[in-house]
Amino acid sequence: MRFHQVKELVEWASDYHARLADHYSRLAATGNDERVRMALEYLVERERKLQADLQGYLNDGSDHDGVLGTWFDDPNDFPHPPVLERLPEGVEGKSVQSVLATALTAHRTLQDLYAHRADLAGGVHEREFFEALAKGHEGEVRRLVRDMQRLEDY
């Protein structure tokens, strides 16, 4: 289907963060390396927070109800590039750097998706909504790199 509402994309992204958190959690439970386990547990926490943030937009009474009901036309793979679906299975959990690389790829890809939606937005509020989501992922990328580096230095 070509036509979607913004809330469908937000629901998908929230579910995606939940799936990433579940996958990281399973890897943390089976890993032997303490630093990798700590990195994965940190990512579980971050993904759950991002999921909760997106769910907050979907709750009744959100300031974004008007934007969430907006329809858009997207003839491409909606709502995500196929690479996002393959990312969790590609996490090896062998090193903090490999875990970080996967997390950064996921967040940068989501950031690009939001920036793309902002570029194609039909209205000011829709554009501002997606720009804010993209900016949030930009901040998340910086936070992940900083905190994972601290873990490596530990």
Side-chain angles (χ1 to χ4, degrees):
M1 182 160 73
R2 285 179 59 128
F3 296 95
H4 304 278
Q5 285 185 296
V6 170
K7 69 180 172 184
E8 292 177 77
L9 189 136
V10 173
E11 289 167 346
W12 174 85
S14 174
D15 181 59
Y16 185 74
H17 286 295
R19 287 183 288 148
L20 275 176
D22 290 344
H23 191 74
Y24 292 149
S25 183
R26 284 191 303 276
L27 283 173
T30 60
N32 296 329
D33 185 296
E34 183 67 17
R35 286 187 186 177
V36 172
R37 185 185 58 73
M38 290 171 59
L40 289 164
E41 288 173 353
Y42 171 77
L43 289 174
V44 168
E45 179 185 312
R46 297 303 312 157
E47 294 300 330
R48 294 279 182 227
K49 182 193 179 311
L50 292 168
Q51 175 194 14
D53 290 348
L54 290 173
Q55 283 298 312
Y57 293 131
L58 299 171
N59 291 337
D60 290 336
S62 168
D63 293 340
H64 302 286
D65 281 342
V67 171
L68 294 171
T70 303
W71 289 88
F72 63 89
D73 179 12
D74 192 345
N76 298 317
D77 289 333
F78 174 84
H80 53 82
V83 69
L84 283 173
E85 290 302 325
R86 293 190 301 267
L87 278 173
E89 289 76 28
V91 179
E92 295 177 10
K94 293 182 180 177
S95 72
V96 171
Q97 288 304 313
S98 69
V99 170
L100 175 60
T102 299
L104 291 177
T105 300
H107 286 285
R108 287 185 176 132
T109 304
L110 285 169
Q111 182 181 355
D112 290 347
L113 173 66
Y114 295 145
H116 175 71
R117 290 291 354 134
D119 289 344
L120 298 177
V124 171
H125 296 297
E126 182 183 358
R127 184 180 71 249
E128 289 172 347
F129 179 77
F130 283 115
E131 285 174 346
L133 288 176
K135 187 173 181 162
H137 271 279
E138 182 181 325
E140 187 65 20
V141 164
R142 284 193 309 273
R143 187 177 301 109
L144 286 174
V145 169
R146 179 197 67 211
D147 293 346
M148 291 290 202
Q149 186 61 45
R150 287 179 183 162
L151 187 60
E152 283 281 273
D153 294 341
Y154 173 66

